[in-house]
Amino acid sequence: MPINAFDQYPLTWKPEKHRLEQPYYKALAADLENKIKSGVLKPGTKLPPQREIADYLDLNYTTITRVYEVCKKKGLIYGTTGKGTFVSPHSSEDITITASNLDSQCIEMGAVNGFSEYSELVERATQTVVERGYLRGLYGYSQPAGHPHQIAAGIRWMEQLGVHGNHDHTAIFSGAQNALTVALISLFSPGDRLATDRYTYSNLIELAKMLHIVLVPIEGDQEGMRADELKKQCTVSRLKGVYLMPSCGNPTTVTISERRRKELAAIIKGYGLILLEDDISAWLTASGGERETSLFDLLKGESIYICGMTKSLCPGLRVAYMTFGEGFRREILHGLFNANIKTSSLDAEIITELILSGDAYKIAMRKREMTEKACALFSEVFPREDGDPWKVSYYQWLPIATSKPFRRVEEDLLERGLRVYHSERFAVTENKRQKYLRVALCSAGSMHKLSKGLQALKDYLE
């Protein structure tokens, strides 16, 4: 085809041919990345088919394939079978969720802080640890994976969640995000493909972008990620692992049913996938008398299970437990030691005291009660159309009817004194369907402020 055949053709991405330098694939990948990050190519833009770009530039088709693969590994673009290649929804912006930088008059309903105002028993445990007189033993750098008695307490806590680990395959991390980071850098490489729900934890999306891990969204329903869709992706993609939040998906609040867990476990085992089970809400369902079988136990321990304690006990004590199979032990401990991100022994000791004294279970029950009360407030302001109750959760997934860009919606709410996060922060790929807000119910500071914030949110949406 003549080199100028596409000069007048409306390609969404038209590199300037005369500016290209060899190696061409590097120059084109840099051009595409620059246009995406500068906002010239907006999220959701459909890129030209590789054959058309190759013909337009009079280059080999495999060169363009290489360009697209480079940008896919960086999380800048993604492909959908039968539909084409698109610019990723968050390729040019930071969607990290944080509890900082909020005006003191603003009501927090964005970050999930876990009723941090309830801290009496945590303060008492801290005082007990101090009075025992062995603080000096906690100040030294030792036992990077955690002191044996601290690990034993973590195993005891996880057992009531239906997770059965052991000392040799459990380690303590400085929060669930920290544990997830070590798992990714230890077990995955740039370009590896990790299956997730279509809406997932936004900080995972950012972390995957930083590590150049490709997230592959899998369709789900009211029972969680669909097993047939995961299997389909296993046959068409080189999936290396899958990330799940079984007890209460963040942000959707979906709980994976017992039946679906067994179906997913069979596929994970059959295709040799690495499961990252981030179950930060299992304590909430367990405190309500509900307990599904963990995928970790269904897979007989041959996976990664992460149990964060910040949401259940105290957000300021950065402690999480990870239990893992023998096949992952060397890599996980190697990552933990060499990243040198040992959690505070003092923090771990306070959590240990809470568990061994039984106060951790009292805190969980108290926070369950507070969550139920907050959800009742939410139901009063936003009753479900089907009449069913909202799930007992730290946050709710509220459908909204607006075509405004998600940043505009969030800015509008900030101007009204509210911080709430839009569903686009959690979308792995562009979503043109129903829009939502994830409304945190555990961070306002009091039920009065939460009630005030929910009413202001309702007024805005109406």
Side-chain angles (χ1 to χ4, degrees), residues 125 128-129 132 134 348-359:
T128 298
V129 170
R132 283 184 177 157
Y134 55 73
E349 190 65 23
I350 295 169
I351 294 293
T352 298
E353 172 63 24
L354 286 167
I355 294 172
L356 297 183
S357 69
D359 282 348

Side-chain angles (χ1 to χ4, degrees), residues 130-405:
V130 171
E131 290 173 351
R132 283 184 177 157
Y134 55 73
L135 285 180
R136 185 171 297 177
L138 302 176
Y139 291 154
Y141 183 87
S142 62
Q143 304 288 347
H147 293 271
H149 71 286
Q150 295 172 346
I151 292 176
I155 292 171
R156 176 173 168 177
W157 176 262
M158 288 187 287
E159 282 179 349
Q160 52 113 14
L161 306 179
V163 180
H164 300 88
N166 60 57
H167 285 75
D168 292 334
H169 299 87
T170 302
I172 300 177
F173 292 81
S174 185
Q177 177 79 2
N178 185 297
L180 181 58
T181 301
V182 169
L184 290 175
I185 64 176
S186 302
L187 303 174
F188 293 81
S189 301
D192 283 345
R193 301 169 72 82
L194 178 67
T196 71
D197 292 300
R198 180 165 291 279
Y199 290 108
T200 193
Y201 178 41
S202 61
N203 288 5
L204 170 70
I205 297 174
E206 282 296 302
L207 187 56
K209 191 193 308 182
M210 291 169 60
L211 299 176
H212 305 316
I213 293 170
V214 181
L215 297 184
V216 180
I218 308 295
E219 293 291 347
D221 55 26
Q222 69 277 7
E223 292 187 68
M225 181 182 287
R226 286 176 50 183
D228 59 332
E229 290 293 329
L230 177 61
K231 184 176 182 179
K232 183 191 299 183
Q233 280 298 325
C234 287
T235 61
V236 300
S237 303
R238 295 188 301 277
L239 289 181
K240 186 167 185 179
V242 56
Y243 172 83
L244 293 171
M245 304 184 84
S247 296
C248 184
N250 184 0
T252 62
T253 75
V254 170
T255 296
I256 303 179
S257 68
E258 185 80 14
R259 177 178 71 90
R260 184 64 53 81
R261 290 174 192 236
K262 292 177 180 177
E263 293 173 351
L264 291 169
I267 293 168
I268 290 166
K269 183 176 181 180
Y271 284 90
L273 302 179
I274 299 172
L275 169 65
L276 304 180
E277 188 174 3
D278 187 359
D279 216 12
I280 62 168
S281 294
W283 69 273
L284 191 57
T285 54
S287 64
E290 313 153 37
R291 194 178 78 179
E292 305 282 355
T293 307
S294 67
L295 283 153
F296 181 84
D297 275 22
L298 288 173
L299 291 167
K300 302 188 184 306
E302 288 307 314
S303 63
I304 307 293
Y305 183 89
I306 298 172
C307 176
M309 305 299 288
T310 58
K311 300 294 187 289
S312 56
L313 300 186
C314 178
L317 296 176
R318 309 304 299 173
V319 173
Y321 303 106
M322 180 199 290
T323 188
F324 39 81
E326 176 61 28
F328 308 116
R329 183 175 183 271
R330 185 182 66 83
E331 290 89 347
I332 290 294
L333 294 180
H334 181 265
L336 171 61
F337 298 158
N338 286 282
N340 196 22
I341 46 179
K342 177 185 182 299
T343 192
S344 159
S345 293
L346 179 58
D347 283 8
E349 190 65 23
I350 295 169
I351 294 293
T352 298
E353 172 63 24
L354 286 167
I355 294 172
L356 297 183
S357 69
D359 282 348
Y361 307 94
K362 295 177 183 177
I363 293 173
M365 288 300 297
R366 172 62 175 148
K367 291 196 174 186
R368 168 85 187 194
E369 293 168 0
M370 295 169 79
T371 305
E372 290 174 342
K373 186 174 181 180
C375 291
L377 278 176
F378 187 85
S379 296
E380 290 176 10
V381 181
F382 297 104
R384 287 177 59 126
E385 291 184 2
D386 57 13
D388 290 340
W390 293 92
K391 181 180 175 65
V392 177
S393 169
Y394 271 173
Y395 42 85
Q396 299 296 344
W397 192 231
L398 180 67
I400 57 173
T402 178
S403 58
K404 288 183 179 181

Side-chain angles (χ1 to χ4, degrees), residues 32-47:
L32 181 53
E33 180 174 357
N34 179 62
K35 284 185 168 62
I36 290 172
K37 290 189 172 181
S38 66
V40 173
L41 291 174
K42 304 293 185 184
T45 299
K46 185 175 182 180
L47 296 177

